[in-house]
Amino acid sequence: MDERYSRLRGFLDLYGDDVFLFNLIEDTFIKYTKAYGFEEIKLPILERTELFVRSIGEGSDIVAKEMFSFEDKGGRKVTMRPEGTAGVVRAILENNLFSNPKYHKVYYIGPMFRAERPQAGRLRQFHQIGVEWFGSDSVIVDFETISLLWNILLDLKISPKVDLVINSVGCDECVHKYKDDLKVFFDKNYENFCKDCKTRREKNVLRIFDCKNHSCQNILKEAPKITDKLCKNCVTHLESLENWLSKASIPFLVDPHLVRGLDYYTRNVFEVRYRGIGAQNAIAGGGRYNNLVSEFGGPNIPAFGFAMGVERTILALKENITVPEELSVAVCSISPNEAEFSLKVASLIRSKGLKTHVLSYLDGIGKQMKTASKIGVKFAIIVGEDEVKEEKVTLKNMATGEQKKLPLTSLAETILTNP
Ligand code: HAM
């Protein structure tokens, strides 16, 4: 292919096993979100840039350097969504959905865009499936949402290989005190921090924890911990979550340096890390954001949510799941005279739900059989002059080579009971 038309870096084509695993993740996610009472919401990919700047924060890596933003023909600054939460809050406010408790719990599935430096597990277009729950500051909401995610991980059989890491980033009151402490710590080590961290110190000092630079990460090991600055209410909130998780036998770790890469969080936050897919091992993350709705001009409504990265979860599943072979068949005809009968056979077995390829459009039975084998069908159904006369077909098991003649009436059942 001419290089000029090649795929952009960080944008993936998904096919084969990847698509099977993508659908498995999506189906499992939908099964549990529905069971927990969430409603689906489908939102635009393009939003006003300001929506993300205001919510994710100017000092975040996402807003500072990773957004796909441009001016549209009307001169508006627009951005391809880097995440789902901001758009959900906008949509709920704009459509007045807060008036109906049915829409206080929503889920979404779709592509997100971040202009990050591509590497294994870090893409420029990736997919998130996420939930947002509005209306309560109760820790039961935090617990229920995390337990929903845990059930998905259990069902996908990856829960034994993940670490659920939790922390609290405090409320306005405690985060304020913590930021002061962090600035003092930063200034003591000022010369040793990278240029980006110096900018982060000015915009939002919490964001220094997002730095990927090894020497900055080393200094940060000694940084003060937010958990030492939490107010009584925030401590209780975190401890209650720990209690609920323990009671439900959901294993977790507390990481006092977990602050998440987006500015809107308050109180309890969490991440799920899969052990064994390299540096980009966060397969899901989320937390509480009690101020975002009011920051967008809405009422004072607390919220909690998370998003799971589909492509990273696919990497984790590949280590654990063997993709099952799909049952499919091919109908082949010896000569063009039997094409009509082969179409009739195909429509009969398709009506029983069998995945069926009609190969009669290819010249010659040899070519048809070769194609059937390349596609990987389990059975070939061969139709010749005799078969048409007798209203029968020859069924060939592609693995064993075994052939038998069958009446149309028992064809589908024979295939379905001999996978
Ligand atoms: P986030 O941690 O930025 O949170 O993203 C959630 C997940 O999306 C990550 O754990 C990861 O699996 C996946 N992800 C993020 N960036 C990339 C990338 N460049 N390539 C591949 N996968 C990626 C949020 O987006 C929040 N909106 C989550 C949330 C919902 N918080 C509250 N509600």
Side-chain angles (χ1 to χ4, degrees):
M1 191 195 78
D2 188 326
E3 285 270 306
R4 283 175 301 174
Y5 310 119
S6 63
R7 184 165 55 84
L8 294 168
R9 273 185 77 216
F11 290 75
L12 284 191
D13 300 320
L14 296 176
Y15 52 89
D17 288 0
D18 285 344
V19 169
F20 174 86
L21 295 171
F22 194 117
N23 292 337
L24 176 69
I25 295 164
E26 194 174 298
D27 292 349
T28 311
F29 175 82
I30 292 174
K31 181 168 98 186
Y32 285 97
T33 41
K34 289 217 161 133
Y36 275 73
F38 285 79
E39 284 293 315
E40 184 171 9
I41 189 161
K42 288 188 188 285
L43 299 177
I45 285 170
L46 206 60
E47 298 269 9
R48 288 175 198 272
T49 301
E50 194 46 38
L51 179 83
F52 302 114
V53 176
R54 181 80 170 105
S55 53
I56 302 170
E58 244 179 306
S60 67
D61 277 6
I62 297 178
V63 170
K65 43 189 180 185
E66 295 169 0
M67 296 210 299
F68 282 98
S69 299
F70 54 94
E71 252 183 41
D72 71 5
K73 293 218 169 98
R76 282 167 291 259
K77 290 198 168 90
V78 292
T79 294
M80 291 168 77
R81 63 180 184 197
E83 59 105 51
T85 311
V88 171
V89 174
R90 180 206 47 73
I92 299 254
L93 280 171
E94 206 162 344
N95 298 294
N96 195 23
L97 297 180
F98 280 125
S99 59
N100 185 348
K102 184 175 169 188
Y103 297 109
H104 291 186
K105 290 162 78 176
V106 293
Y107 74 86
Y108 52 90
I109 301 172
M112 306 291 159
F113 303 84
R114 294 186 193 174
E116 297 194 68
R117 202 150 53 84
Q119 65 177 83
R122 194 202 277 155
L123 300 162
R124 292 187 163 177
Q125 176 179 330
F126 57 98
H127 294 78
Q128 280 187 350
I129 47 185
V131 304
E132 312 295 347
W133 184 337
F134 298 96
S136 170
D137 194 29
S138 163
V139 81
I140 293 179
V141 167
D142 306 30
F143 167 71
E144 270 248 283
T145 313
I146 295 178
S147 92
L148 151 67
L149 174 58
W150 192 254
N151 274 314
I152 295 169
L153 300 172
L154 276 172
D155 198 321
L156 293 173
K157 301 187 177 51
I158 50 176
S159 59
K161 289 201 189 161
V162 304
D163 290 320
L164 166 64
V165 184
I166 65 168
N167 191 29
S168 172
V169 292
C171 58
D172 286 346
E173 197 189 312
C174 18
V175 86
H176 206 73
K177 288 190 205 142
Y178 178 59
K179 280 183 179 174
D180 287 344
D181 274 15
L182 207 52
K183 280 184 183 162
V184 172
F185 170 81
F186 190 95
D187 293 344
K188 275 192 203 147
N189 295 280
Y190 193 86
E191 290 314 320
N192 300 322
F193 276 107
C194 70
K195 204 169 131 255
D196 281 356
C197 279
K198 287 174 183 148
T199 312
R200 290 182 178 113
R201 185 213 177 278
E202 301 316 317
K203 290 199 166 154
N204 179 358
V205 68
L206 277 188
R207 297 277 67 90
I208 57 176
F209 287 106
D210 305 337
C211 187
K212 286 149 193 149
N213 190 319
H214 279 301
S215 71
C216 296
Q217 278 174 11
N218 265 337
I219 310 171
L220 287 170
K221 284 183 189 150
E222 304 302 319
K225 300 179 175 104
I226 179 115
T227 31
D228 295 333
K229 284 284 165 212
L230 293 180
C231 67
K232 207 168 149 274
N233 286 342
C234 287
V235 170
T236 312
H237 211 254
L238 180 61
E239 284 177 355
S240 314
L241 176 61
E242 292 174 24
N243 282 336
W244 280 106
L245 291 172
S246 303
K247 271 192 248 169
S249 304
I250 299 178
F252 63 90
L253 308 163
V254 182
D255 176 357
H257 285 149
L258 174 71
V259 292
R260 309 272 301 125
L262 308 96
D263 279 1
Y264 49 65
Y265 291 109
T266 51
R267 295 199 152 170
N268 294 339
V269 292
F270 72 97
E271 239 167 52
V272 171
R273 299 175 189 149
Y274 183 86
R275 297 185 292 272
I277 50 169
Q280 304 306 315
N281 64 356
I283 58 170
R288 185 158 276 291
Y289 50 101
N290 288 349
N291 303 331
L292 190 57
V293 178
S294 60
E295 275 171 22
F296 280 155
N300 208 354
I301 290 181
F304 192 92
F306 75 82
M308 189 168 173
V310 179
E311 286 81 355
R312 284 189 197 167
T313 311
I314 290 177
L315 291 179
L317 287 186
K318 276 188 174 163
E319 285 204 332
N320 296 280
I321 288 183
T322 325
V323 174
E325 264 181 57
E326 198 182 20
L327 175 62
S328 64
V329 297
V331 187
C332 309
S333 44
I334 309 266
S335 82
N337 298 336
E338 292 88 43
E340 194 182 338
F341 189 68
S342 72
L343 290 171
K344 190 174 140 192
V345 173
S347 101
L348 178 81
I349 55 175
R350 280 176 182 149
S351 72
K352 309 280 178 199
L354 273 166
K355 183 171 180 180
T356 308
H357 302 270
V358 173
L359 298 182
S360 311
Y361 67 93
L362 294 167
D363 286 342
I365 187 71
K367 208 172 193 180
Q368 294 175 44
M369 293 306 286
K370 243 188 221 155
T371 306
S373 144
K374 278 190 191 155
I375 297 174
V377 298
K378 289 255 165 79
F379 294 99
I381 296 165
I382 303 161
V383 182
E385 212 179 319
D386 291 348
E387 281 86 354
V388 176
K389 268 192 221 136
E390 296 165 31
E391 285 262 313
K392 285 187 172 170
V393 293
T394 297
L395 183 68
K396 178 174 180 178
N397 182 320
M398 298 296 279
T400 62
E402 189 196 331
Q403 292 195 178
K404 55 183 167 197
K405 233 183 210 179
L406 289 172
L408 292 186
T409 42
S410 62
L411 178 61
E413 207 197 325
T414 310
I415 295 169
L416 286 166
T417 51
N418 292 285

Short mmCIF file of all heavy atoms in Angstrom, two decimals, residues 91-141:
data_model
loop_
_atom_site.label_atom_id
_atom_site.label_comp_id
_atom_site.label_asym_id
_atom_site.label_seq_id
_atom_site.Cartn_x
_atom_site.Cartn_y
_atom_site.Cartn_z
N ALA A 91 -24.49 16.95 29.38
CA ALA A 91 -25.73 16.43 28.79
C ALA A 91 -26.84 16.35 29.84
O ALA A 91 -27.99 16.66 29.56
CB ALA A 91 -25.48 15.07 28.17
N ILE A 92 -26.48 15.94 31.04
CA ILE A 92 -27.49 15.79 32.09
C ILE A 92 -28.07 17.17 32.43
O ILE A 92 -29.27 17.34 32.58
CB ILE A 92 -26.87 15.11 33.33
CG1 ILE A 92 -26.37 13.72 32.96
CG2 ILE A 92 -27.82 15.10 34.51
CD1 ILE A 92 -27.15 12.56 33.42
N LEU A 93 -27.18 18.17 32.49
CA LEU A 93 -27.65 19.53 32.80
C LEU A 93 -28.46 20.10 31.63
O LEU A 93 -29.56 20.62 31.82
CB LEU A 93 -26.45 20.46 33.07
CG LEU A 93 -25.83 20.35 34.46
CD1 LEU A 93 -24.53 21.14 34.52
CD2 LEU A 93 -26.80 20.88 35.52
N GLU A 94 -27.91 19.96 30.43
CA GLU A 94 -28.53 20.58 29.27
C GLU A 94 -29.91 19.99 28.97
O GLU A 94 -30.79 20.69 28.49
CB GLU A 94 -27.60 20.40 28.06
CG GLU A 94 -27.79 21.47 27.03
CD GLU A 94 -26.60 21.57 26.07
OE1 GLU A 94 -25.51 21.03 26.36
OE2 GLU A 94 -26.79 22.20 25.02
N ASN A 95 -30.10 18.70 29.25
CA ASN A 95 -31.39 18.06 28.96
C ASN A 95 -32.27 17.96 30.21
O ASN A 95 -33.25 17.22 30.22
CB ASN A 95 -31.15 16.66 28.37
CG ASN A 95 -30.39 16.74 27.06
OD1 ASN A 95 -30.90 17.26 26.08
ND2 ASN A 95 -29.15 16.26 27.06
N ASN A 96 -31.85 18.65 31.23
CA ASN A 96 -32.60 18.70 32.48
C ASN A 96 -32.91 17.29 33.03
O ASN A 96 -34.00 17.02 33.52
CB ASN A 96 -33.90 19.50 32.26
CG ASN A 96 -34.54 19.89 33.56
OD1 ASN A 96 -33.84 19.95 34.59
ND2 ASN A 96 -35.84 20.11 33.56
N LEU A 97 -31.95 16.40 32.92
CA LEU A 97 -32.19 15.02 33.32
C LEU A 97 -32.12 14.83 34.84
O LEU A 97 -32.52 13.79 35.35
CB LEU A 97 -31.20 14.07 32.62
CG LEU A 97 -31.33 14.02 31.10
CD1 LEU A 97 -30.32 13.05 30.50
CD2 LEU A 97 -32.73 13.62 30.67
N PHE A 98 -31.62 15.85 35.55
CA PHE A 98 -31.59 15.72 37.01
C PHE A 98 -33.00 15.64 37.58
O PHE A 98 -33.19 15.15 38.68
CB PHE A 98 -30.84 16.89 37.65
CG PHE A 98 -29.36 16.73 37.57
CD1 PHE A 98 -28.57 17.71 37.00
CD2 PHE A 98 -28.75 15.58 38.06
CE1 PHE A 98 -27.19 17.55 36.92
CE2 PHE A 98 -27.38 15.41 37.98
CZ PHE A 98 -26.61 16.39 37.41
N SER A 99 -33.99 16.10 36.79
CA SER A 99 -35.35 16.09 37.31
C SER A 99 -35.91 14.66 37.35
O SER A 99 -36.94 14.41 37.96
CB SER A 99 -36.25 16.97 36.45
OG SER A 99 -36.21 16.49 35.12
N ASN A 100 -35.24 13.71 36.69
CA ASN A 100 -35.74 12.33 36.66
C ASN A 100 -34.67 11.38 37.25
O ASN A 100 -33.64 11.16 36.63
CB ASN A 100 -36.06 11.94 35.22
CG ASN A 100 -36.68 10.56 35.13
OD1 ASN A 100 -36.68 9.80 36.11
ND2 ASN A 100 -37.20 10.23 33.98
N PRO A 101 -34.97 10.80 38.42
CA PRO A 101 -33.95 9.95 39.09
C PRO A 101 -33.49 8.78 38.23
O PRO A 101 -32.40 8.25 38.46
CB PRO A 101 -34.66 9.45 40.34
CG PRO A 101 -35.98 10.10 40.40
CD PRO A 101 -36.20 10.92 39.16
N LYS A 102 -34.28 8.42 37.22
CA LYS A 102 -33.87 7.33 36.31
C LYS A 102 -32.52 7.65 35.66
O LYS A 102 -31.72 6.76 35.39
CB LYS A 102 -34.95 7.21 35.24
CG LYS A 102 -34.77 6.09 34.28
CD LYS A 102 -35.96 6.01 33.35
CE LYS A 102 -35.66 5.06 32.21
NZ LYS A 102 -36.69 5.09 31.20
N TYR A 103 -32.28 8.94 35.39
CA TYR A 103 -31.05 9.32 34.70
C TYR A 103 -29.95 9.77 35.66
O TYR A 103 -28.99 10.42 35.25
CB TYR A 103 -31.34 10.41 33.66
CG TYR A 103 -32.26 9.91 32.58
CD1 TYR A 103 -33.58 10.36 32.50
CD2 TYR A 103 -31.83 8.95 31.68
CE1 TYR A 103 -34.43 9.87 31.53
CE2 TYR A 103 -32.67 8.45 30.71
CZ TYR A 103 -33.98 8.92 30.64
OH TYR A 103 -34.82 8.42 29.69
N HIS A 104 -30.11 9.44 36.93
CA HIS A 104 -29.04 9.79 37.87
C HIS A 104 -27.93 8.75 37.82
O HIS A 104 -26.88 8.93 38.40
CB HIS A 104 -29.60 9.90 39.30
CG HIS A 104 -30.49 11.10 39.48
ND1 HIS A 104 -31.01 11.46 40.69
CD2 HIS A 104 -30.94 12.00 38.58
CE1 HIS A 104 -31.75 12.55 40.52
NE2 HIS A 104 -31.72 12.89 39.27
N LYS A 105 -28.21 7.63 37.15
CA LYS A 105 -27.18 6.58 37.00
C LYS A 105 -27.09 6.24 35.52
O LYS A 105 -28.00 5.64 34.96
CB LYS A 105 -27.60 5.33 37.78
CG LYS A 105 -27.55 5.52 39.29
CD LYS A 105 -28.36 4.47 40.00
CE LYS A 105 -27.64 3.14 40.08
NZ LYS A 105 -28.43 2.16 40.87
N VAL A 106 -26.00 6.68 34.86
CA VAL A 106 -25.89 6.44 33.43
C VAL A 106 -24.57 5.75 33.07
O VAL A 106 -23.60 5.83 33.81
CB VAL A 106 -26.00 7.77 32.62
CG1 VAL A 106 -27.38 8.37 32.73
CG2 VAL A 106 -24.93 8.76 33.05
N TYR A 107 -24.60 5.06 31.92
CA TYR A 107 -23.35 4.46 31.43
C TYR A 107 -23.15 4.83 29.96
O TYR A 107 -24.11 5.19 29.27
CB TYR A 107 -23.31 2.95 31.63
CG TYR A 107 -24.18 2.12 30.72
CD1 TYR A 107 -23.72 1.70 29.46
CD2 TYR A 107 -25.44 1.70 31.10
CE1 TYR A 107 -24.50 0.91 28.63
CE2 TYR A 107 -26.23 0.91 30.28
CZ TYR A 107 -25.76 0.52 29.04
OH TYR A 107 -26.54 -0.26 28.23
N TYR A 108 -21.90 4.77 29.51
CA TYR A 108 -21.57 5.13 28.13
C TYR A 108 -20.45 4.23 27.62
O TYR A 108 -19.67 3.69 28.40
CB TYR A 108 -21.15 6.61 28.03
CG TYR A 108 -20.07 6.99 29.02
CD1 TYR A 108 -18.71 6.88 28.68
CD2 TYR A 108 -20.40 7.40 30.30
CE1 TYR A 108 -17.72 7.20 29.59
CE2 TYR A 108 -19.41 7.73 31.22
CZ TYR A 108 -18.08 7.63 30.86
OH TYR A 108 -17.10 7.92 31.78
N ILE A 109 -20.42 4.12 26.31
CA ILE A 109 -19.38 3.31 25.65
C ILE A 109 -18.95 4.09 24.42
O ILE A 109 -19.82 4.54 23.67
CB ILE A 109 -19.96 1.96 25.18
CG1 ILE A 109 -20.51 1.18 26.37
CG2 ILE A 109 -18.93 1.14 24.42
CD1 ILE A 109 -21.26 -0.07 26.01
N GLY A 110 -17.64 4.26 24.21
CA GLY A 110 -17.27 4.95 22.97
C GLY A 110 -15.82 5.34 22.91
O GLY A 110 -15.07 5.19 23.88
N PRO A 111 -15.42 5.86 21.74
CA PRO A 111 -14.02 6.23 21.55
C PRO A 111 -13.67 7.55 22.23
O PRO A 111 -14.50 8.45 22.31
CB PRO A 111 -13.90 6.37 20.03
CG PRO A 111 -15.27 6.69 19.57
CD PRO A 111 -16.23 6.07 20.54
N MET A 112 -12.44 7.62 22.73
CA MET A 112 -11.90 8.83 23.36
C MET A 112 -10.57 9.12 22.67
O MET A 112 -9.94 8.20 22.11
CB MET A 112 -11.64 8.61 24.86
CG MET A 112 -12.82 8.08 25.63
SD MET A 112 -14.14 9.29 25.80
CE MET A 112 -15.54 8.23 26.15
N PHE A 113 -10.11 10.37 22.75
CA PHE A 113 -8.92 10.77 21.98
C PHE A 113 -7.95 11.55 22.86
O PHE A 113 -8.34 12.54 23.47
CB PHE A 113 -9.35 11.63 20.79
CG PHE A 113 -10.33 10.91 19.89
CD1 PHE A 113 -11.69 10.92 20.18
CD2 PHE A 113 -9.89 10.22 18.78
CE1 PHE A 113 -12.60 10.23 19.38
CE2 PHE A 113 -10.79 9.53 17.97
CZ PHE A 113 -12.15 9.54 18.27
N ARG A 114 -6.72 11.06 22.91
CA ARG A 114 -5.69 11.81 23.64
C ARG A 114 -4.40 11.74 22.84
O ARG A 114 -3.95 10.64 22.49
CB ARG A 114 -5.44 11.20 25.04
CG ARG A 114 -6.64 11.32 25.96
CD ARG A 114 -6.36 10.85 27.37
NE ARG A 114 -7.61 10.69 28.10
CZ ARG A 114 -7.73 10.18 29.32
NH1 ARG A 114 -6.65 9.79 29.97
NH2 ARG A 114 -8.92 10.07 29.89
N ALA A 115 -3.80 12.89 22.57
CA ALA A 115 -2.58 12.91 21.76
C ALA A 115 -1.37 12.59 22.63
O ALA A 115 -0.47 13.41 22.79
CB ALA A 115 -2.43 14.26 21.09
N GLU A 116 -1.37 11.38 23.21
CA GLU A 116 -0.24 10.96 24.05
C GLU A 116 0.83 10.33 23.17
O GLU A 116 0.55 9.97 22.02
CB GLU A 116 -0.72 9.93 25.07
CG GLU A 116 -1.74 10.48 26.04
CD GLU A 116 -1.93 9.56 27.24
OE1 GLU A 116 -0.98 9.45 28.03
OE2 GLU A 116 -2.99 8.96 27.35
N ARG A 117 2.04 10.14 23.73
CA ARG A 117 3.09 9.45 22.96
C ARG A 117 2.73 7.96 22.93
O ARG A 117 2.66 7.32 23.98
CB ARG A 117 4.45 9.66 23.62
CG ARG A 117 5.61 9.47 22.66
CD ARG A 117 6.79 10.36 23.06
NE ARG A 117 7.15 10.13 24.47
CZ ARG A 117 7.93 9.15 24.91
NH1 ARG A 117 8.46 8.31 24.06
NH2 ARG A 117 8.20 9.03 26.19
N PRO A 118 2.42 7.42 21.74
CA PRO A 118 1.92 6.05 21.69
C PRO A 118 2.95 5.02 22.16
O PRO A 118 4.14 5.17 21.91
CB PRO A 118 1.61 5.82 20.21
CG PRO A 118 1.55 7.18 19.61
CD PRO A 118 2.47 8.04 20.41
N GLN A 119 2.50 4.05 22.89
CA GLN A 119 3.31 2.89 23.29
C GLN A 119 2.34 1.77 23.63
O GLN A 119 1.12 1.99 23.52
CB GLN A 119 4.22 3.23 24.48
CG GLN A 119 3.46 3.55 25.77
CD GLN A 119 4.40 3.79 26.94
OE1 GLN A 119 4.91 4.88 27.09
NE2 GLN A 119 4.61 2.80 27.78
N ALA A 120 2.86 0.58 24.01
CA ALA A 120 1.94 -0.53 24.30
C ALA A 120 0.93 -0.09 25.35
O ALA A 120 1.31 0.38 26.43
CB ALA A 120 2.74 -1.71 24.80
N GLY A 121 -0.35 -0.20 25.03
CA GLY A 121 -1.40 0.17 25.99
C GLY A 121 -1.69 1.66 26.06
O GLY A 121 -2.57 2.08 26.81
N ARG A 122 -0.91 2.47 25.33
CA ARG A 122 -1.21 3.91 25.34
C ARG A 122 -1.49 4.36 23.91
O ARG A 122 -0.59 4.38 23.07
CB ARG A 122 -0.05 4.71 25.93
CG ARG A 122 -0.47 6.13 26.26
CD ARG A 122 0.70 7.05 26.32
NE ARG A 122 1.37 7.00 27.61
CZ ARG A 122 2.67 7.32 27.75
NH1 ARG A 122 3.41 7.63 26.71
NH2 ARG A 122 3.22 7.28 28.93
N LEU A 123 -2.74 4.69 23.65
CA LEU A 123 -3.18 4.98 22.29
C LEU A 123 -3.67 6.41 22.18
O LEU A 123 -3.92 7.08 23.18
CB LEU A 123 -4.34 4.03 21.93
CG LEU A 123 -3.99 2.56 21.99
CD1 LEU A 123 -5.25 1.72 22.06
CD2 LEU A 123 -3.17 2.18 20.78
N ARG A 124 -3.83 6.85 20.93
CA ARG A 124 -4.39 8.19 20.72
C ARG A 124 -5.90 8.11 20.53
O ARG A 124 -6.61 9.04 20.89
CB ARG A 124 -3.72 8.85 19.53
CG ARG A 124 -2.27 9.13 19.89
CD ARG A 124 -1.54 9.92 18.86
NE ARG A 124 -0.35 10.47 19.48
CZ ARG A 124 0.55 11.18 18.85
NH1 ARG A 124 0.40 11.44 17.57
NH2 ARG A 124 1.60 11.65 19.49
N GLN A 125 -6.37 7.01 19.97
CA GLN A 125 -7.81 6.73 20.03
C GLN A 125 -7.97 5.42 20.79
O GLN A 125 -7.37 4.41 20.44
CB GLN A 125 -8.43 6.57 18.64
CG GLN A 125 -9.90 6.19 18.75
CD GLN A 125 -10.64 6.03 17.42
OE1 GLN A 125 -10.31 6.68 16.44
NE2 GLN A 125 -11.63 5.16 17.41
N PHE A 126 -8.74 5.47 21.85
CA PHE A 126 -9.01 4.26 22.63
C PHE A 126 -10.49 4.31 23.01
O PHE A 126 -11.16 5.31 22.79
CB PHE A 126 -8.10 4.20 23.87
CG PHE A 126 -8.22 5.40 24.77
CD1 PHE A 126 -9.03 5.36 25.89
CD2 PHE A 126 -7.55 6.58 24.48
CE1 PHE A 126 -9.17 6.48 26.72
CE2 PHE A 126 -7.69 7.70 25.29
CZ PHE A 126 -8.49 7.65 26.41
N HIS A 127 -10.97 3.20 23.57
CA HIS A 127 -12.39 3.16 23.93
C HIS A 127 -12.55 3.08 25.43
O HIS A 127 -11.80 2.37 26.10
CB HIS A 127 -13.08 1.97 23.26
CG HIS A 127 -13.12 2.11 21.77
ND1 HIS A 127 -12.03 1.84 20.99
CD2 HIS A 127 -14.10 2.53 20.94
CE1 HIS A 127 -12.35 2.08 19.72
NE2 HIS A 127 -13.60 2.49 19.67
N GLN A 128 -13.53 3.78 25.92
CA GLN A 128 -13.86 3.68 27.35
C GLN A 128 -15.29 3.20 27.50
O GLN A 128 -16.16 3.56 26.71
CB GLN A 128 -13.76 5.05 28.03
CG GLN A 128 -12.37 5.48 28.40
CD GLN A 128 -12.36 6.77 29.22
OE1 GLN A 128 -13.37 7.43 29.38
NE2 GLN A 128 -11.20 7.10 29.75
N ILE A 129 -15.49 2.40 28.57
CA ILE A 129 -16.85 2.13 28.99
C ILE A 129 -16.90 2.64 30.42
O ILE A 129 -16.00 2.37 31.22
CB ILE A 129 -17.22 0.63 28.85
CG1 ILE A 129 -16.13 -0.27 29.42
CG2 ILE A 129 -17.42 0.26 27.41
CD1 ILE A 129 -16.39 -1.73 29.18
N GLY A 130 -17.89 3.44 30.70
CA GLY A 130 -17.88 4.08 32.02
C GLY A 130 -19.26 4.30 32.58
O GLY A 130 -20.27 4.20 31.87
N VAL A 131 -19.30 4.58 33.87
CA VAL A 131 -20.58 4.88 34.54
C VAL A 131 -20.42 6.17 35.35
O VAL A 131 -19.33 6.48 35.82
CB VAL A 131 -21.04 3.75 35.49
CG1 VAL A 131 -21.14 2.43 34.77
CG2 VAL A 131 -20.13 3.62 36.71
N GLU A 132 -21.52 6.89 35.51
CA GLU A 132 -21.55 8.08 36.36
C GLU A 132 -22.82 8.00 37.19
O GLU A 132 -23.89 7.69 36.66
CB GLU A 132 -21.56 9.37 35.52
CG GLU A 132 -20.52 9.46 34.40
CD GLU A 132 -19.06 9.49 34.85
OE1 GLU A 132 -18.80 9.68 36.06
OE2 GLU A 132 -18.18 9.28 34.00
N TRP A 133 -22.70 8.29 38.47
CA TRP A 133 -23.83 8.19 39.40
C TRP A 133 -23.95 9.53 40.13
O TRP A 133 -23.02 9.95 40.82
CB TRP A 133 -23.56 7.05 40.38
CG TRP A 133 -24.66 6.74 41.35
CD1 TRP A 133 -25.67 7.55 41.77
CD2 TRP A 133 -24.86 5.50 42.02
NE1 TRP A 133 -26.48 6.91 42.66
CE2 TRP A 133 -26.01 5.63 42.83
CE3 TRP A 133 -24.19 4.28 42.02
CZ2 TRP A 133 -26.49 4.61 43.64
CZ3 TRP A 133 -24.65 3.26 42.83
CH2 TRP A 133 -25.80 3.42 43.62
N PHE A 134 -25.09 10.20 39.93
CA PHE A 134 -25.28 11.55 40.49
C PHE A 134 -26.24 11.54 41.66
O PHE A 134 -27.18 10.74 41.70
CB PHE A 134 -25.84 12.48 39.40
CG PHE A 134 -24.92 12.64 38.24
CD1 PHE A 134 -25.07 11.85 37.10
CD2 PHE A 134 -23.86 13.54 38.29
CE1 PHE A 134 -24.20 11.97 36.03
CE2 PHE A 134 -22.99 13.66 37.21
CZ PHE A 134 -23.17 12.88 36.09
N GLY A 135 -26.00 12.45 42.60
CA GLY A 135 -27.05 12.75 43.57
C GLY A 135 -26.78 12.40 45.01
O GLY A 135 -27.59 12.75 45.87
N SER A 136 -25.67 11.72 45.32
CA SER A 136 -25.47 11.39 46.72
C SER A 136 -23.99 11.37 47.08
O SER A 136 -23.14 10.94 46.28
CB SER A 136 -26.07 10.01 47.02
OG SER A 136 -25.68 9.60 48.31
N ASP A 137 -23.72 11.79 48.31
CA ASP A 137 -22.35 11.74 48.82
C ASP A 137 -22.15 10.49 49.67
O ASP A 137 -21.09 10.29 50.26
CB ASP A 137 -22.08 13.02 49.63
CG ASP A 137 -20.60 13.21 49.91
OD1 ASP A 137 -19.79 12.76 49.09
OD2 ASP A 137 -20.27 13.80 50.96
N SER A 138 -23.20 9.65 49.75
CA SER A 138 -23.10 8.46 50.60
C SER A 138 -22.01 7.52 50.09
O SER A 138 -21.89 7.28 48.88
CB SER A 138 -24.44 7.71 50.60
OG SER A 138 -24.24 6.40 51.08
N VAL A 139 -21.28 6.94 51.02
CA VAL A 139 -20.20 6.03 50.64
C VAL A 139 -20.76 4.73 50.05
O VAL A 139 -20.05 3.99 49.37
CB VAL A 139 -19.27 5.80 51.85
CG1 VAL A 139 -19.84 4.77 52.79
CG2 VAL A 139 -17.87 5.43 51.39
N ILE A 140 -22.04 4.51 50.25
CA ILE A 140 -22.68 3.32 49.64
C ILE A 140 -22.61 3.45 48.11
O ILE A 140 -22.44 2.45 47.40
CB ILE A 140 -24.14 3.16 50.13
CG1 ILE A 140 -24.12 2.83 51.62
CG2 ILE A 140 -24.89 2.08 49.35
CD1 ILE A 140 -25.47 2.68 52.26
N VAL A 141 -22.70 4.67 47.62
CA VAL A 141 -22.59 4.90 46.17
C VAL A 141 -21.18 4.54 45.69
O VAL A 141 -21.00 3.84 44.69
CB VAL A 141 -22.94 6.38 45.84
CG1 VAL A 141 -22.55 6.74 44.42
CG2 VAL A 141 -24.42 6.64 46.07
#
